[in-house]
Coordinates of all heavy atoms in Angstrom, one line a residue:
M286 N -34.0 -15.4 -2.6 CA -32.7 -16.0 -2.7 C -31.9 -15.8 -1.5 O -31.8 -14.7 -0.9 CB -32.0 -15.4 -4.0 CG -30.8 -16.2 -4.4 SD -30.0 -15.5 -5.9 CE -28.7 -14.5 -5.1
D287 N -31.2 -16.9 -1.1 CA -30.3 -16.8 0.1 C -29.1 -15.9 -0.3 O -28.6 -15.9 -1.4 CB -29.8 -18.2 0.5 CG -30.9 -19.0 1.1 OD1 -31.9 -18.4 1.6 OD2 -30.8 -20.2 1.2
T288 N -28.6 -15.2 0.7 CA -27.4 -14.4 0.6 C -26.2 -15.3 0.3 O -26.0 -16.3 1.0 CB -27.1 -13.5 1.8 OG1 -28.3 -12.7 2.0 CG2 -25.9 -12.6 1.6
E289 N -25.4 -14.9 -0.7 CA -24.2 -15.7 -0.9 C -23.0 -15.0 -0.1 O -23.0 -13.9 0.1 CB -23.8 -15.6 -2.4 CG -24.8 -16.2 -3.3 CD -24.5 -16.0 -4.8 OE1 -24.4 -14.8 -5.2 OE2 -24.2 -16.9 -5.5
F290 N -22.1 -15.9 0.3 CA -20.9 -15.4 1.1 C -19.6 -15.7 0.3 O -19.5 -16.9 -0.1 CB -20.9 -16.0 2.5 CG -22.0 -15.4 3.4 CD1 -23.3 -15.8 3.3 CD2 -21.6 -14.4 4.3 CE1 -24.2 -15.3 4.2 CE2 -22.6 -13.8 5.1 CZ -23.9 -14.3 5.1
A291 N -18.7 -14.8 0.3 CA -17.4 -15.1 -0.1 C -16.6 -15.6 1.1 O -16.9 -15.3 2.2 CB -16.7 -13.9 -0.8
D292 N -15.5 -16.3 0.8 CA -14.6 -16.7 1.9 C -13.7 -15.5 2.2 O -13.2 -14.8 1.3 CB -13.7 -17.9 1.5 CG -14.6 -19.2 1.4 OD1 -15.5 -19.3 2.2 OD2 -14.3 -20.0 0.6
V293 N -13.5 -15.2 3.5 CA -12.6 -14.2 3.8 C -11.8 -14.6 5.1 O -12.4 -15.3 5.9 CB -13.3 -12.8 4.0 CG1 -14.3 -12.9 5.2 CG2 -12.4 -11.6 4.2
I294 N -10.6 -14.1 5.2 CA -9.8 -14.5 6.4 C -9.5 -13.3 7.2 O -9.0 -12.3 6.8 CB -8.4 -15.1 5.9 CG1 -8.7 -16.3 5.0 CG2 -7.5 -15.4 7.1 CD1 -7.4 -16.8 4.2
G295 N -9.8 -13.4 8.5 CA -9.4 -12.4 9.5 C -9.8 -11.0 9.2 O -9.1 -10.0 9.4
H296 N -11.1 -10.8 8.7 CA -11.7 -9.5 8.5 C -10.9 -8.6 7.5 O -11.0 -7.4 7.5 CB -11.7 -8.7 9.9 CG -12.5 -9.3 10.9 ND1 -13.5 -8.6 11.6 CD2 -12.4 -10.5 11.5 CE1 -14.1 -9.5 12.5 NE2 -13.4 -10.6 12.4
D297 N -10.1 -9.3 6.6 CA -9.3 -8.6 5.7 C -9.8 -8.7 4.3 O -9.9 -9.8 3.7 CB -7.9 -9.2 5.8 CG -6.9 -8.5 4.8 OD1 -7.3 -7.6 4.0 OD2 -5.7 -8.8 4.9
V298 N -10.3 -7.6 3.7 CA -11.0 -7.6 2.4 C -10.1 -8.1 1.3 O -10.6 -8.6 0.3 CB -11.5 -6.2 2.0 CG1 -12.6 -5.8 3.0 CG2 -10.4 -5.2 1.9
T299 N -8.8 -8.0 1.5 CA -7.9 -8.4 0.4 C -7.7 -9.9 0.4 O -7.1 -10.5 -0.5 CB -6.4 -7.8 0.6 OG1 -5.8 -8.3 1.8 CG2 -6.5 -6.3 0.6
T300 N -8.3 -10.6 1.3 CA -8.2 -12.1 1.4 C -9.5 -12.7 0.8 O -9.6 -14.0 0.8 CB -8.0 -12.6 2.8 OG1 -9.2 -12.4 3.6 CG2 -6.8 -12.0 3.5
I301 N -10.4 -12.0 0.2 CA -11.6 -12.5 -0.3 C -11.3 -13.5 -1.4 O -10.5 -13.3 -2.3 CB -12.5 -11.4 -0.9 CG1 -13.1 -10.5 0.2 CG2 -13.6 -12.0 -1.8 CD1 -13.9 -9.3 -0.3
T302 N -12.1 -14.7 -1.2 CA -12.2 -15.5 -2.4 C -13.7 -15.4 -2.8 O -14.5 -15.9 -2.1 CB -11.9 -17.0 -2.1 OG1 -10.5 -17.1 -1.6 CG2 -12.1 -17.9 -3.3
C303 N -13.9 -14.8 -4.0 CA -15.2 -14.5 -4.4 C -16.0 -15.8 -4.6 O -15.4 -16.9 -4.8 CB -15.2 -13.7 -5.7 SG -16.8 -13.2 -6.3
V304 N -17.3 -15.7 -4.6 CA -18.2 -16.8 -4.8 C -17.8 -17.5 -6.1 O -17.9 -18.7 -6.3 CB -19.7 -16.3 -4.8 CG1 -20.6 -17.5 -5.3 CG2 -20.1 -15.8 -3.5
C305 N -17.3 -16.7 -7.1 CA -17.0 -17.3 -8.4 C -15.6 -17.9 -8.4 O -15.2 -18.5 -9.4 CB -17.1 -16.2 -9.5 SG -15.7 -15.0 -9.5
G306 N -14.8 -17.7 -7.3 CA -13.5 -18.3 -7.2 C -12.4 -17.3 -7.5 O -11.2 -17.7 -7.3
N307 N -12.7 -16.1 -7.8 CA -11.7 -15.1 -8.1 C -11.1 -14.6 -6.8 O -11.7 -14.5 -5.8 CB -12.3 -14.0 -8.9 CG -11.3 -12.9 -9.3 OD1 -10.1 -13.2 -9.5 ND2 -11.7 -11.7 -9.3
T308 N -9.8 -14.2 -6.9 CA -9.1 -13.6 -5.7 C -8.2 -12.5 -6.2 O -8.1 -12.3 -7.4 CB -8.2 -14.7 -5.0 OG1 -7.1 -15.0 -5.9 CG2 -8.9 -15.9 -4.6
V309 N -7.6 -11.8 -5.3 CA -6.7 -10.7 -5.6 C -5.5 -11.2 -6.5 O -5.1 -10.5 -7.4 CB -6.1 -10.1 -4.3 CG1 -4.9 -9.2 -4.6 CG2 -7.1 -9.3 -3.5
S310 N -5.1 -12.4 -6.2 CA -3.9 -12.9 -7.0 C -4.3 -13.6 -8.3 O -3.5 -14.0 -9.1 CB -3.1 -13.9 -6.2 OG -3.9 -14.9 -5.7
K311 N -5.6 -13.8 -8.5 CA -6.1 -14.3 -9.8 C -6.4 -13.2 -10.8 O -5.4 -12.6 -11.3 CB -7.3 -15.2 -9.6 CG -6.9 -16.6 -9.0 CD -8.1 -17.5 -8.9 CE -7.7 -18.9 -8.3 NZ -8.9 -19.7 -8.1
E312 N -7.7 -12.8 -10.9 CA -8.0 -11.7 -11.8 C -8.0 -10.3 -11.0 O -8.1 -9.3 -11.6 CB -9.4 -11.9 -12.4 CG -9.4 -13.0 -13.4 CD -10.7 -13.1 -14.2 OE1 -11.2 -12.0 -14.6 OE2 -11.2 -14.2 -14.4
G313 N -7.8 -10.4 -9.7 CA -7.8 -9.2 -8.9 C -9.1 -8.8 -8.5 O -10.2 -9.2 -9.0
L314 N -9.1 -7.9 -7.4 CA -10.3 -7.3 -6.9 C -10.1 -5.8 -6.9 O -9.0 -5.3 -6.8 CB -10.6 -7.8 -5.5 CG -10.8 -9.3 -5.4 CD1 -10.7 -9.7 -3.9 CD2 -12.2 -9.7 -6.0
I315 N -11.2 -5.0 -7.1 CA -11.1 -3.6 -7.3 C -11.9 -2.8 -6.3 O -13.0 -3.2 -6.0 CB -11.6 -3.2 -8.7 CG1 -10.8 -3.9 -9.8 CG2 -11.6 -1.7 -8.9 CD1 -11.3 -3.7 -11.2
Q316 N -11.3 -1.8 -5.7 CA -12.0 -1.0 -4.8 C -13.0 -0.2 -5.5 O -12.7 0.5 -6.5 CB -11.0 -0.1 -4.0 CG -10.2 -0.8 -3.0 CD -9.3 0.1 -2.2 OE1 -8.5 0.8 -2.9 NE2 -9.3 0.1 -0.9
A317 N -14.2 -0.1 -5.0 CA -15.3 0.5 -5.7 C -16.1 1.4 -4.7 O -16.0 1.3 -3.5 CB -16.2 -0.5 -6.4
N318 N -17.0 2.2 -5.3 CA -18.0 3.0 -4.4 C -19.3 2.2 -4.2 O -19.4 1.1 -4.6 CB -18.2 4.4 -5.0 CG -19.0 4.4 -6.3 OD1 -19.5 3.4 -6.7 ND2 -19.0 5.5 -7.0
S319 N -20.2 2.9 -3.6 CA -21.4 2.2 -3.2 C -22.3 1.8 -4.4 O -23.3 1.1 -4.2 CB -22.2 3.1 -2.2 OG -22.5 4.3 -2.8
Q320 N -22.0 2.3 -5.6 CA -22.7 1.9 -6.8 C -21.9 0.8 -7.5 O -22.3 0.3 -8.6 CB -22.9 3.0 -7.8 CG -24.0 3.9 -7.4 CD -23.6 5.0 -6.4 OE1 -22.6 5.7 -6.6 NE2 -24.4 5.0 -5.3
G321 N -20.7 0.4 -7.0 CA -19.9 -0.6 -7.6 C -19.0 -0.1 -8.7 O -18.3 -0.8 -9.4
V322 N -18.9 1.3 -8.8 CA -18.0 1.9 -9.7 C -16.6 1.9 -9.2 O -16.4 2.4 -8.1 CB -18.5 3.3 -10.1 CG1 -17.6 3.9 -11.1 CG2 -19.9 3.3 -10.6
P323 N -15.6 1.4 -10.0 CA -14.2 1.5 -9.5 C -13.8 2.9 -9.1 O -14.1 3.8 -9.9 CB -13.4 0.9 -10.7 CG -14.4 0.0 -11.4 CD -15.7 0.6 -11.2
V324 N -13.1 3.1 -8.0 CA -12.7 4.4 -7.6 C -11.2 4.6 -7.9 O -10.5 3.7 -8.1 CB -12.9 4.6 -6.1 CG1 -14.4 4.5 -5.7 CG2 -12.1 3.6 -5.2
Y325 N -10.9 5.9 -8.0 CA -9.6 6.3 -8.4 C -8.8 6.6 -7.1 O -9.3 7.5 -6.3 CB -9.6 7.6 -9.3 CG -8.3 8.0 -9.7 CD1 -7.4 7.1 -10.4 CD2 -7.8 9.3 -9.5 CE1 -6.2 7.5 -10.9 CE2 -6.6 9.7 -10.0 CZ -5.8 8.9 -10.7 OH -4.6 9.3 -11.1
A326 N -7.7 5.9 -6.8 CA -7.1 5.9 -5.5 C -6.2 7.2 -5.3 O -5.9 7.5 -4.1 CB -6.3 4.7 -5.2
E327 N -5.8 7.8 -6.3 CA -4.9 9.0 -6.2 C -5.7 10.2 -5.7 O -6.7 10.5 -6.4 CB -4.2 9.3 -7.5 CG -3.3 8.1 -8.0 CD -2.1 7.9 -7.1 OE1 -1.6 8.8 -6.5 OE2 -1.8 6.7 -7.0
V328 N -5.2 10.8 -4.7 CA -5.9 12.0 -4.2 C -5.1 13.2 -4.7 O -3.9 13.2 -4.7 CB -6.0 12.0 -2.6 CG1 -6.6 13.4 -2.1 CG2 -6.8 10.9 -2.2
G329 N -5.8 14.3 -5.1 CA -5.2 15.5 -5.5 C -4.9 15.6 -7.0 O -4.3 16.6 -7.5
T330 N -5.2 14.5 -7.8 CA -5.0 14.6 -9.2 C -6.4 14.3 -9.8 O -7.3 13.7 -9.2 CB -4.0 13.6 -9.7 OG1 -4.4 12.3 -9.2 CG2 -2.6 13.9 -9.3
P331 N -6.6 14.8 -11.0 CA -8.0 14.7 -11.7 C -8.4 13.2 -11.8 O -7.5 12.4 -12.1 CB -7.8 15.4 -13.0 CG -6.6 16.3 -12.9 CD -5.7 15.6 -11.9
V332 N -9.6 12.9 -11.6 CA -10.1 11.6 -11.7 C -10.3 11.2 -13.2 O -10.9 12.0 -13.9 CB -11.5 11.4 -11.0 CG1 -12.0 10.0 -11.2 CG2 -11.3 11.7 -9.5
P333 N -9.6 10.1 -13.7 CA -9.7 9.8 -15.1 C -11.2 9.5 -15.5 O -12.0 9.1 -14.6 CB -8.9 8.5 -15.2 CG -8.0 8.5 -14.0 CD -8.8 9.2 -12.9
A334 N -11.5 9.8 -16.7 CA -12.9 9.5 -17.2 C -13.3 8.1 -17.0 O -12.5 7.2 -17.3 CB -12.9 9.9 -18.7
G335 N -14.4 7.9 -16.5 CA -14.9 6.5 -16.3 C -14.8 6.1 -14.9 O -15.6 5.2 -14.4
L336 N -13.8 6.6 -14.1 CA -13.7 6.1 -12.7 C -14.4 7.1 -11.8 O -14.7 8.2 -12.2 CB -12.2 6.1 -12.3 CG -11.3 5.1 -13.1 CD1 -9.9 5.1 -12.5 CD2 -11.9 3.7 -13.1
A337 N -14.7 6.6 -10.6 CA -15.4 7.4 -9.6 C -14.3 8.0 -8.7 O -13.3 7.4 -8.5 CB -16.4 6.6 -8.8
P338 N -14.6 9.2 -8.1 CA -13.7 9.7 -7.1 C -13.6 8.9 -5.9 O -14.6 8.2 -5.6 CB -14.2 11.2 -6.9 CG -15.6 11.1 -7.2 CD -15.8 10.1 -8.3
W339 N -12.6 9.0 -5.1 CA -12.5 8.3 -3.8 C -13.6 8.9 -2.9 O -13.8 10.1 -2.8 CB -11.1 8.6 -3.2 CG -10.8 7.8 -2.0 CD1 -11.0 8.1 -0.7 CD2 -10.3 6.5 -2.1 NE1 -10.6 7.0 0.1 CE2 -10.1 6.0 -0.7 CE3 -9.9 5.6 -3.1 CZ2 -9.6 4.8 -0.4 CZ3 -9.3 4.3 -2.8 CH2 -9.2 3.9 -1.4
P340 N -14.4 8.0 -2.3 CA -15.6 8.5 -1.5 C -15.1 9.2 -0.3 O -14.2 8.7 0.4 CB -16.3 7.2 -1.1 CG -15.4 6.1 -1.4 CD -14.4 6.5 -2.4
E341 N -15.6 10.4 -0.1 CA -15.2 11.3 1.0 C -15.4 10.6 2.4 O -14.7 10.9 3.3 CB -15.9 12.6 0.9 CG -15.3 13.5 -0.1 CD -16.0 14.9 -0.1 OE1 -16.7 15.2 0.9 OE2 -15.9 15.6 -1.1
D342 N -16.5 9.8 2.4 CA -16.8 9.1 3.7 C -16.0 7.8 3.9 O -16.2 7.1 4.8 CB -18.3 8.9 3.9 CG -18.8 8.1 2.7 OD1 -18.1 7.6 1.8 OD2 -20.1 7.9 2.7
E343 N -15.1 7.5 2.9 CA -14.3 6.3 2.9 C -15.1 5.1 3.0 O -14.7 4.0 3.5 CB -13.4 6.4 4.2 CG -12.5 7.6 4.2 CD -11.1 7.3 3.6 OE1 -10.5 6.2 3.8 OE2 -10.6 8.2 2.9
D344 N -16.3 5.1 2.5 CA -17.2 4.0 2.5 C -17.0 3.2 1.2 O -17.6 3.4 0.2 CB -18.7 4.4 2.6 CG -19.6 3.2 2.9 OD1 -19.1 2.2 3.5 OD2 -20.8 3.3 2.6
L345 N -16.1 2.2 1.4 CA -15.6 1.5 0.2 C -16.3 0.1 0.1 O -16.6 -0.6 1.0 CB -14.1 1.4 0.2 CG -13.3 2.6 0.0 CD1 -11.9 2.4 0.3 CD2 -13.5 3.1 -1.5
Y346 N -16.3 -0.3 -1.2 CA -16.8 -1.6 -1.5 C -15.7 -2.3 -2.3 O -14.8 -1.7 -2.9 CB -18.1 -1.5 -2.4 CG -19.3 -1.0 -1.6 CD1 -19.4 0.3 -1.1 CD2 -20.3 -1.9 -1.2 CE1 -20.5 0.7 -0.4 CE2 -21.4 -1.5 -0.5 CZ -21.5 -0.2 -0.1 OH -22.5 0.2 0.7
T347 N -15.8 -3.7 -2.5 CA -14.9 -4.4 -3.2 C -15.6 -5.1 -4.4 O -16.5 -5.9 -4.2 CB -14.1 -5.5 -2.4 OG1 -13.3 -4.7 -1.4 CG2 -13.2 -6.3 -3.2
L348 N -15.2 -4.8 -5.6 CA -15.8 -5.3 -6.8 C -15.0 -6.5 -7.3 O -13.7 -6.4 -7.5 CB -15.9 -4.2 -7.9 CG -16.2 -4.7 -9.3 CD1 -17.6 -5.2 -9.4 CD2 -16.0 -3.5 -10.3
C349 N -15.6 -7.6 -7.6 CA -15.0 -8.7 -8.4 C -15.2 -8.4 -9.9 O -16.3 -8.5 -10.3 CB -15.6 -10.0 -8.0 SG -15.0 -11.4 -9.0
P350 N -14.1 -8.1 -10.6 CA -14.3 -7.8 -12.0 C -14.6 -9.0 -12.8 O -14.9 -8.9 -14.0 CB -12.9 -7.2 -12.4 CG -12.0 -7.8 -11.4 CD -12.7 -8.1 -10.1
S351 N -14.6 -10.2 -12.3 CA -14.8 -11.4 -13.0 C -16.3 -11.7 -13.1 O -16.8 -12.0 -14.2 CB -14.1 -12.6 -12.3 OG -14.3 -13.8 -13.0
C352 N -17.0 -11.5 -12.0 CA -18.5 -11.8 -12.0 C -19.3 -10.7 -11.7 O -20.6 -10.8 -11.9 CB -18.7 -13.0 -11.1 SG -18.5 -12.5 -9.3
G353 N -18.8 -9.6 -11.2 CA -19.6 -8.4 -10.9 C -20.2 -8.4 -9.5 O -20.9 -7.5 -9.1
R354 N -19.9 -9.4 -8.7 CA -20.3 -9.3 -7.3 C -19.6 -8.3 -6.5 O -18.4 -8.0 -6.8 CB -20.2 -10.7 -6.6 CG -21.2 -11.7 -7.1 CD -21.0 -13.1 -6.3 NE -21.9 -14.1 -6.7 CZ -21.8 -14.9 -7.7 NH1 -20.8 -14.8 -8.5 NH2 -22.7 -15.8 -8.0
V355 N -20.3 -7.5 -5.6 CA -19.8 -6.4 -4.9 C -19.9 -6.7 -3.4 O -21.0 -7.1 -2.9 CB -20.4 -5.1 -5.3 CG1 -19.8 -3.9 -4.5 CG2 -20.3 -4.9 -6.8
Y356 N -18.8 -6.5 -2.6 CA -18.8 -6.7 -1.2 C -18.6 -5.4 -0.5 O -17.9 -4.5 -1.0 CB -17.7 -7.7 -0.8 CG -17.9 -9.0 -1.5 CD1 -17.2 -9.2 -2.8 CD2 -18.6 -10.0 -1.0 CE1 -17.3 -10.4 -3.5 CE2 -18.8 -11.2 -1.7 CZ -18.1 -11.4 -2.9 OH -18.3 -12.6 -3.6
H357 N -19.2 -5.2 0.7 CA -19.1 -4.0 1.5 C -18.0 -4.1 2.5 O -18.0 -4.9 3.4 CB -20.4 -3.7 2.2 CG -20.6 -2.3 2.7 ND1 -21.7 -1.9 3.4 CD2 -19.7 -1.3 2.7 CE1 -21.5 -0.6 3.8 NE2 -20.4 -0.2 3.3
D358 N -16.9 -3.3 2.3 CA -15.7 -3.4 3.1 C -16.0 -3.3 4.6 O -15.5 -4.1 5.4 CB -14.7 -2.4 2.7 CG -14.0 -2.7 1.4 OD1 -14.6 -3.5 0.6 OD2 -13.0 -2.0 1.1
T359 N -16.9 -2.4 5.0 CA -17.2 -2.2 6.3 C -17.8 -3.5 7.0 O -17.5 -3.8 8.1 CB -18.3 -1.0 6.5 OG1 -17.8 0.1 5.9 CG2 -18.6 -0.7 8.0
V360 N -18.7 -4.2 6.3 CA -19.3 -5.4 6.8 C -18.2 -6.4 7.0 O -18.2 -7.1 8.1 CB -20.3 -5.9 5.8 CG1 -20.9 -7.3 6.3 CG2 -21.5 -4.9 5.7
I361 N -17.3 -6.5 6.1 CA -16.2 -7.5 6.2 C -15.3 -7.2 7.4 O -15.0 -8.1 8.2 CB -15.3 -7.5 4.9 CG1 -16.2 -8.1 3.8 CG2 -14.1 -8.4 5.1 CD1 -15.6 -7.8 2.4
E362 N -15.0 -5.9 7.5 CA -14.0 -5.5 8.6 C -14.7 -5.7 10.0 O -14.1 -6.0 11.0 CB -13.6 -4.0 8.4 CG -12.6 -4.0 7.2 CD -12.4 -2.6 6.6 OE1 -13.1 -1.7 7.2 OE2 -11.8 -2.5 5.6
E363 N -16.0 -5.5 10.0 CA -16.7 -5.5 11.3 C -17.1 -7.0 11.7 O -17.1 -7.3 12.9 CB -17.9 -4.6 11.3 CG -17.6 -3.1 11.4 CD -18.8 -2.2 11.4 OE1 -19.9 -2.7 11.3 OE2 -18.6 -1.0 11.5
T364 N -17.5 -7.8 10.7 CA -18.0 -9.1 11.0 C -17.1 -10.2 10.7 O -17.4 -11.3 11.2 CB -19.4 -9.3 10.3 OG1 -19.1 -9.4 8.9 CG2 -20.3 -8.1 10.5
G365 N -16.2 -10.0 9.8 CA -15.3 -11.1 9.4 C -16.0 -12.0 8.4 O -15.5 -13.1 8.1
T366 N -17.2 -11.6 7.9 CA -17.9 -12.4 6.8 C -18.0 -11.5 5.6 O -18.0 -10.3 5.8 CB -19.2 -12.9 7.3 OG1 -20.1 -11.8 7.5 CG2 -19.1 -13.8 8.5
A367 N -18.2 -12.1 4.5 CA -18.3 -11.3 3.3 C -19.6 -11.6 2.5 O -19.5 -12.3 1.4 CB -17.1 -11.5 2.4
P368 N -20.7 -11.1 2.9 CA -22.0 -11.4 2.1 C -21.9 -10.5 0.9 O -21.3 -9.5 0.8 CB -23.1 -10.9 3.1 CG -22.4 -9.9 4.0 CD -21.0 -10.4 4.2
V369 N -22.5 -11.1 -0.2 CA -22.6 -10.3 -1.5 C -23.6 -9.2 -1.2 O -24.7 -9.4 -0.9 CB -23.0 -11.2 -2.6 CG1 -23.2 -10.4 -3.9 CG2 -22.0 -12.3 -2.8
A370 N -23.1 -7.9 -1.4 CA -24.0 -6.8 -1.2 C -24.9 -6.6 -2.4 O -26.1 -6.4 -2.2 CB -23.1 -5.5 -1.0
F371 N -24.4 -6.7 -3.6 CA -25.2 -6.6 -4.8 C -24.3 -7.1 -5.9 O -23.1 -7.4 -5.8 CB -25.8 -5.2 -5.1 CG -24.7 -4.1 -5.1 CD1 -24.2 -3.7 -6.3 CD2 -24.3 -3.5 -4.0 CE1 -23.3 -2.7 -6.4 CE2 -23.4 -2.4 -4.0 CZ -22.8 -2.1 -5.2
Q372 N -24.9 -7.3 -7.1 CA -24.1 -7.7 -8.3 C -24.4 -6.8 -9.5 O -25.6 -6.4 -9.7 CB -24.5 -9.1 -8.6 CG -23.6 -9.7 -9.7 CD -23.7 -11.3 -9.8 OE1 -24.6 -11.9 -9.3 NE2 -22.8 -11.9 -10.6
I373 N -23.4 -6.4 -10.2 CA -23.6 -5.5 -11.3 C -23.1 -6.2 -12.6 O -22.4 -7.2 -12.6 CB -22.8 -4.2 -11.0 CG1 -21.3 -4.4 -10.8 CG2 -23.5 -3.4 -10.0 CD1 -20.5 -3.2 -10.6
D374 N -23.4 -5.5 -13.7 CA -23.0 -6.0 -15.0 C -21.6 -5.6 -15.4 O -21.4 -4.4 -15.6 CB -24.0 -5.5 -16.1 CG -23.7 -6.1 -17.5 OD1 -22.8 -6.9 -17.6 OD2 -24.5 -5.8 -18.4
V375 N -20.7 -6.5 -15.4 CA -19.3 -6.1 -15.7 C -18.9 -6.4 -17.2 O -17.8 -6.2 -17.6 CB -18.3 -6.8 -14.7 CG1 -18.4 -6.2 -13.4 CG2 -18.5 -8.3 -14.7
A376 N -19.9 -7.0 -17.9 CA -19.5 -7.5 -19.2 C -19.6 -6.3 -20.2 O -18.8 -6.3 -21.2 CB -20.5 -8.6 -19.7
E377 N -20.4 -5.3 -20.0 CA -20.5 -4.2 -20.9 C -21.0 -3.0 -20.2 O -21.3 -3.1 -19.0 CB -21.4 -4.5 -22.0 CG -22.8 -5.0 -21.6 CD -23.6 -5.6 -22.8 OE1 -23.6 -5.0 -23.8 OE2 -24.3 -6.6 -22.6
G378 N -21.0 -1.8 -20.8 CA -21.5 -0.6 -20.2 C -20.4 0.1 -19.4 O -19.2 -0.2 -19.5
P379 N -20.8 1.1 -18.6 CA -19.9 1.9 -18.0 C -19.0 1.2 -17.0 O -17.8 1.6 -16.8 CB -20.7 3.0 -17.2 CG -22.1 2.4 -17.2 CD -22.2 1.5 -18.4
I380 N -19.5 0.2 -16.3 CA -18.6 -0.5 -15.4 C -17.5 -1.3 -16.1 O -16.3 -1.3 -15.6 CB -19.5 -1.5 -14.5 CG1 -20.6 -0.8 -13.8 CG2 -18.6 -2.3 -13.5 CD1 -20.1 0.2 -12.7
A381 N -17.8 -1.9 -17.2 CA -16.8 -2.6 -18.0 C -15.7 -1.6 -18.4 O -14.5 -1.9 -18.4 CB -17.4 -3.3 -19.2
E382 N -16.1 -0.4 -18.9 CA -15.2 0.6 -19.3 C -14.3 1.1 -18.1 O -13.1 1.2 -18.2 CB -16.0 1.8 -19.9 CG -15.1 3.0 -20.2 CD -14.1 2.7 -21.3 OE1 -14.3 1.7 -22.0 OE2 -13.2 3.6 -21.5
A383 N -15.0 1.2 -16.9 CA -14.2 1.7 -15.8 C -13.2 0.6 -15.3 O -12.1 1.0 -14.9 CB -15.2 1.9 -14.6
I384 N -13.5 -0.7 -15.4 CA -12.6 -1.7 -15.1 C -11.4 -1.7 -16.1 O -10.2 -1.8 -15.6 CB -13.3 -3.1 -15.1 CG1 -14.3 -3.2 -14.0 CG2 -12.3 -4.2 -15.1 CD1 -15.2 -4.4 -14.1
R385 N -11.7 -1.4 -17.3 CA -10.6 -1.3 -18.3 C -9.7 -0.2 -18.0 O -8.4 -0.3 -18.0 CB -11.2 -1.1 -19.7 CG -10.2 -1.3 -20.9 CD -10.9 -1.1 -22.2 NE -11.3 0.3 -22.3 CZ -10.5 1.4 -22.5 NH1 -9.2 1.1 -22.6 NH2 -10.9 2.6 -22.6
V386 N -10.3 1.0 -17.7 CA -9.4 2.2 -17.3 C -8.6 1.9 -16.0 O -7.4 2.2 -16.0 CB -10.4 3.4 -17.0 CG1 -9.6 4.5 -16.4 CG2 -11.0 3.8 -18.3
H387 N -9.3 1.2 -15.1 CA -8.5 0.8 -13.8 C -7.3 0.0 -14.1 O -6.2 0.3 -13.6 CB -9.5 0.1 -12.9 CG -8.8 -0.5 -11.7 ND1 -8.7 0.2 -10.5 CD2 -8.3 -1.7 -11.5 CE1 -8.0 -0.6 -9.7 NE2 -7.8 -1.7 -10.2
W388 N -7.4 -1.0 -14.9 CA -6.3 -1.9 -15.2 C -5.2 -1.1 -16.0 O -4.0 -1.3 -15.8 CB -6.7 -3.2 -15.9 CG -7.5 -4.1 -15.0 CD1 -8.7 -4.7 -15.4 CD2 -7.3 -4.5 -13.7 NE1 -9.2 -5.5 -14.4 CE2 -8.3 -5.4 -13.3 CE3 -6.3 -4.3 -12.8 CZ2 -8.4 -6.0 -12.1 CZ3 -6.3 -4.9 -11.5 CH2 -7.4 -5.7 -11.2
E389 N -5.7 -0.3 -16.9 CA -4.7 0.5 -17.7 C -3.8 1.4 -16.8 O -2.6 1.6 -17.1 CB -5.5 1.4 -18.7 CG -5.7 0.7 -20.0 CD -6.2 1.7 -21.1 OE1 -6.3 2.9 -20.8 OE2 -6.6 1.2 -22.1
L390 N -4.4 1.9 -15.8 CA -3.7 2.8 -14.9 C -2.8 2.0 -14.0 O -1.8 2.5 -13.5 CB -4.7 3.6 -14.0 CG -5.5 4.7 -14.8 CD1 -6.6 5.2 -13.9 CD2 -4.6 5.8 -15.2
G391 N -3.1 0.7 -13.9 CA -2.3 -0.1 -13.0 C -2.3 0.2 -11.5 O -1.3 -0.1 -10.8
T392 N -3.4 0.8 -11.1 CA -3.5 1.1 -9.7 C -4.1 0.0 -8.9 O -4.9 -0.7 -9.4 CB -4.2 2.4 -9.4 OG1 -5.5 2.3 -10.0 CG2 -3.5 3.6 -10.0
Ligands
LIG50 ZN1 -16.5 -13.0 -8.6

């Protein structure tokens, strides 16, 4: 299968238009770790159940909570393109729960 690309403007991960059409201003995009698990952005407070801690190496990914496609922030920042790194199941299971926790926290 050919690699899919999201639209992105000026190497800025927050400008992604996902392959599915989702953007930050529609359903939102979530910062995630290398497994696609949403990360908890607050440092120095306990990580809520279901979320992943902020990666120590700052190697972040961007998860589309609408379709489960995940993009690698480093690739976007370095190349100005946004190939789909991988896709995960966001409809059920631990990722769905993590997304719910993420939105509840409003971060
Ligand atoms: Zn998407």
Side-chain angles (χ1 to χ4, degrees):
M286 193 179 94
D287 290 340
T288 302
E289 298 174 299
F290 285 82
D292 290 328
V293 64
I294 301 164
H296 301 233
D297 182 353
V298 298
T299 66
T300 66
I301 287 176
T302 299
C303 185
V304 174
C305 74
N307 183 32
T308 66
V309 166
S310 59
K311 287 184 178 174
E312 291 189 43
L314 299 166
I315 300 175
Q316 287 182 306
N318 68 10
S319 58
Q320 281 83 52
V322 181
V324 296
Y325 185 55
E327 299 294 326
V328 176
T330 53
V332 177
L336 296 184
W339 194 262
E341 281 183 20
D342 56 5
E343 303 267 320
D344 192 25
L345 288 168
Y346 289 72
T347 296
L348 166 67
C349 171
S351 181
C352 67
R354 286 181 177 85
V355 180
Y356 303 91
H357 194 179
D358 288 13
T359 304
V360 172
I361 295 164
E362 286 159 8
E363 287 181 358
T364 68
T366 64
V369 176
F371 55 94
Q372 188 166 12
I373 55 174
D374 185 358
V375 290
E377 52 190 319
I380 302 294
E382 174 66 12
I384 290 169
R385 194 184 61 75
V386 171
H387 170 88
W388 293 133
E389 269 189 8
L390 291 167
T392 55

